[in-house]
Amino acid sequence: MSKKITSVDYGLEKIFEGAQDFLPLLGTDYVEFYVGNAKQAAHFYKTAFGFQSYAYKGLETGSKDAVSYVLKQDKIRLVLTTPLTSKSIINDHIVKHGDGVKVIALWVDDARKAYKETTSRGATSYLEPTVETDEDGEIIKAGIYTYGETVHMFIERKNYHGIFMPGFQEWKTDYNPPAAGLKYIDHMVGNVGWNQMDVWVKWYEDVMGFENFLSFDDKQIHTEYSALMSKVMSNGNGRIKFPINEPAEGKKRSQIEEYLDFYEGAGVQHIAVATDDIVKTVSQLKSKGVEFLSTPPEEYYTAVPGRLEEFSHELREDIEKLKALGIMIDADEEGYLLQIFTKPIEDRPTLFFEIIQRMGAKGFGAGNFKALFESIEREQAKRGTL
Ligand code: FE2
């Protein structure tokens, strides 16, 4: 009998054996978005994506300059933050980039050490180690800049027993839509400018101790019209994976270039969230109004059985259901994966989500890149940005 594979196996094993990991990361702590209207964004993530109300800070809790809603679904925590006055520097981020990811927070055992290790290796400081306390204990946080204006915060919470962080109160609501089966963040992708991919690959290697474990060049990632390059960076224990994309020359404008133009710089392109039942999750998201990229053509699905057979994997899902929902399938030696991509979730064609179910495969759907990019190009053509 073949080895039993489940999508939850992924992310818990060591991907590479290097020197001692100077930046041990326990996982993603939260992702913070700066948005124009956090109250409405929170409603959207609850209704459309099945996130649950979790914590809140705002005028009622003594926060005078900004309001934040924390939403939770299994291990995923999203923080949605909006400034309350024109004087807040958060406005500058929103004016320039639109709604987008400001902070990718990483859960650590020792935030002071994480800050020292990374800044001594060349990271630019965003926040010096800061202790925040309340009656439930203390949080230590520190931050460094990564690509664009995006930030990595190191969060040490081993001496904290309250809800989220000091300054927040539990957010209880009467409106609690059902969860959609989203379990954890599988990977988060950054788009950087021309010739910047290797600069940031080196930065993640030198400053964060990550390793480059997969690379795709423009010969692999291209369509008739456009191209991009991508390198996947992983931390020491393999729990954190950050692919980094840069545009490549093609006949028409790369989707990465479109992103960079509209985000006005480098930033987070997509957040991939894992589910154990993608058919159920995607059916629910669609019924709640989440928009996905168009379904790949018929020939795509005709080729799937052959692709799985090549690696002797048996598809456990009903291919007709996958096809009806537009879910894509990719396979490698170790298993297969199922994935689908939303359209951008704001008006600027910038950030989007990926829903992924891993059935042993550790890749990122390279076999789907062509079908995916053709589908993105159809959207670009509608926007007049191809
Ligand atoms: Fe992805």
Side-chain angles (χ1 to χ4, degrees):
M1 210 181 114
S2 64
K3 179 180 169 271
K4 186 174 177 289
I5 46 170
T6 71
S7 54
V8 291
D9 285 344
Y10 187 70
L12 297 174
E13 72 191 86
K14 204 166 167 60
I15 284 186
F16 63 86
E17 299 285 342
Q20 208 199 346
D21 190 358
F22 64 79
L23 184 63
L25 302 175
L26 302 169
T28 308
D29 197 279
Y30 65 86
V31 180
E32 181 171 19
F33 297 65
Y34 282 176
V35 297
N37 189 332
K39 178 178 268 199
Q40 290 186 7
H43 193 288
F44 170 77
Y45 282 105
K46 285 172 68 174
T47 303
F49 284 91
F51 279 89
Q52 314 292 307
S53 305
Y54 184 58
Y56 170 82
K57 79 170 179 187
L59 292 171
E60 299 82 349
T61 67
S63 173
K64 299 274 195 288
D65 59 340
V67 57
S68 292
Y69 295 80
V70 188
L71 302 165
K72 195 170 183 294
Q73 189 161 183
D74 205 321
K75 293 192 174 65
I76 312 164
R77 280 194 293 237
L78 303 184
V79 181
L80 305 166
T81 297
T82 291
L84 288 167
T85 77
S86 64
K87 291 174 188 67
S88 168
I89 54 162
I90 298 170
N91 289 296
D92 302 345
H93 199 276
I94 298 171
V95 167
K96 188 170 171 64
H97 305 295
D99 287 7
V101 172
K102 174 63 180 178
V103 179
I104 299 171
L106 302 165
W107 176 29
V108 297
D109 201 47
D110 186 341
R112 288 188 183 93
K113 181 172 181 291
Y115 181 82
K116 189 163 170 277
E117 296 283 2
T118 50
T119 50
S120 70
R121 287 172 168 82
T124 304
S125 174
Y126 171 75
L127 177 73
E128 287 186 10
T130 305
V131 183
E132 293 184 354
T133 55
D134 66 11
E135 62 276 11
D136 292 312
E138 66 169 37
I139 291 262
I140 304 174
K141 57 186 190 182
I144 57 170
Y145 278 99
T146 174
Y147 47 77
E149 291 193 285
T150 316
V151 164
H152 286 314
M153 284 285 239
F154 301 116
I155 307 293
E156 174 185 331
R157 51 172 70 254
K158 60 178 180 284
N159 296 317
Y160 194 66
H161 312 289
I163 193 96
F164 195 54
M165 273 185 199
F168 284 81
Q169 67 180 30
E170 188 176 4
W171 177 31
K172 281 195 170 163
T173 52
D174 293 331
Y175 177 62
N176 302 298
L182 303 177
K183 302 187 86 74
Y184 61 90
I185 293 178
D186 185 277
H187 59 276
M188 296 186 68
V189 181
N191 281 344
V192 298
W194 294 93
N195 305 315
Q196 290 297 299
M197 178 177 69
D198 286 330
V199 172
W200 287 100
V201 163
K202 191 167 173 3
W203 186 90
Y204 275 102
E205 285 170 348
D206 294 349
V207 172
M208 304 274 285
F210 281 40
E211 284 199 2
N212 172 211
F213 85 105
L214 268 179
S215 299
F216 306 99
D217 64 22
D218 48 338
K219 286 175 199 67
Q220 290 160 286
I221 316 185
H222 70 97
T223 65
E224 189 187 344
Y225 299 120
S226 68
L228 64 87
M229 296 187 276
S230 188
K231 287 188 176 175
V232 184
M233 305 307 293
S234 168
N235 81 315
N237 60 18
R239 290 183 195 184
I240 309 290
K241 285 171 288 295
F242 294 144
I244 300 167
N245 298 331
E246 76 168 50
E249 290 292 350
K251 278 190 215 161
K252 294 193 176 181
R253 188 154 71 149
S254 164
Q255 49 161 306
I256 309 304
E257 236 179 313
E258 185 197 35
Y259 174 101
L260 296 168
D261 288 350
F262 279 94
Y263 198 69
E264 298 190 20
V268 174
Q269 179 211 35
H270 76 267
I271 303 173
V273 286
T275 170
D276 280 342
D277 188 346
I278 197 166
V279 169
K280 197 167 167 216
T281 295
V282 173
S283 302
Q284 180 173 329
L285 299 187
K286 283 199 169 181
S287 76
K288 303 291 183 189
V290 176
E291 294 180 320
F292 291 90
L293 291 172
S294 57
T295 307
E298 184 68 32
E299 313 87 81
Y300 173 88
Y301 289 96
T302 321
V304 166
R307 186 151 174 78
L308 285 163
E309 227 165 78
E310 195 184 316
F311 296 104
S312 317
H313 302 314
E314 203 179 311
L315 187 68
R316 296 175 193 199
E317 293 72 20
D318 177 354
I319 194 160
E320 290 305 321
K321 280 190 185 158
L322 299 175
K323 190 163 122 184
L325 292 166
I327 294 165
M328 300 192 286
I329 304 109
D330 194 22
D332 61 23
E333 297 288 334
E334 290 161 299
Y336 65 92
L337 62 80
L338 304 165
Q339 62 184 172
I340 189 169
F341 298 84
T342 72
K343 289 184 181 175
I345 42 120
E346 56 290 296
D347 290 301
R348 296 194 197 190
T350 52
L351 179 73
F352 58 90
F353 279 83
E354 170 182 351
I355 314 297
I356 184 166
Q357 181 180 351
R358 291 190 182 275
M359 300 299 286
K362 289 180 182 157
F364 294 82
N368 289 328
F369 286 164
K370 194 165 186 293
L372 167 64
F373 298 153
E374 284 170 351
S375 163
I376 292 176
E377 282 167 6
R378 287 194 285 277
E379 298 297 320
Q380 279 183 273
K382 284 186 216 163
R383 293 191 282 260
T385 57
L386 181 60

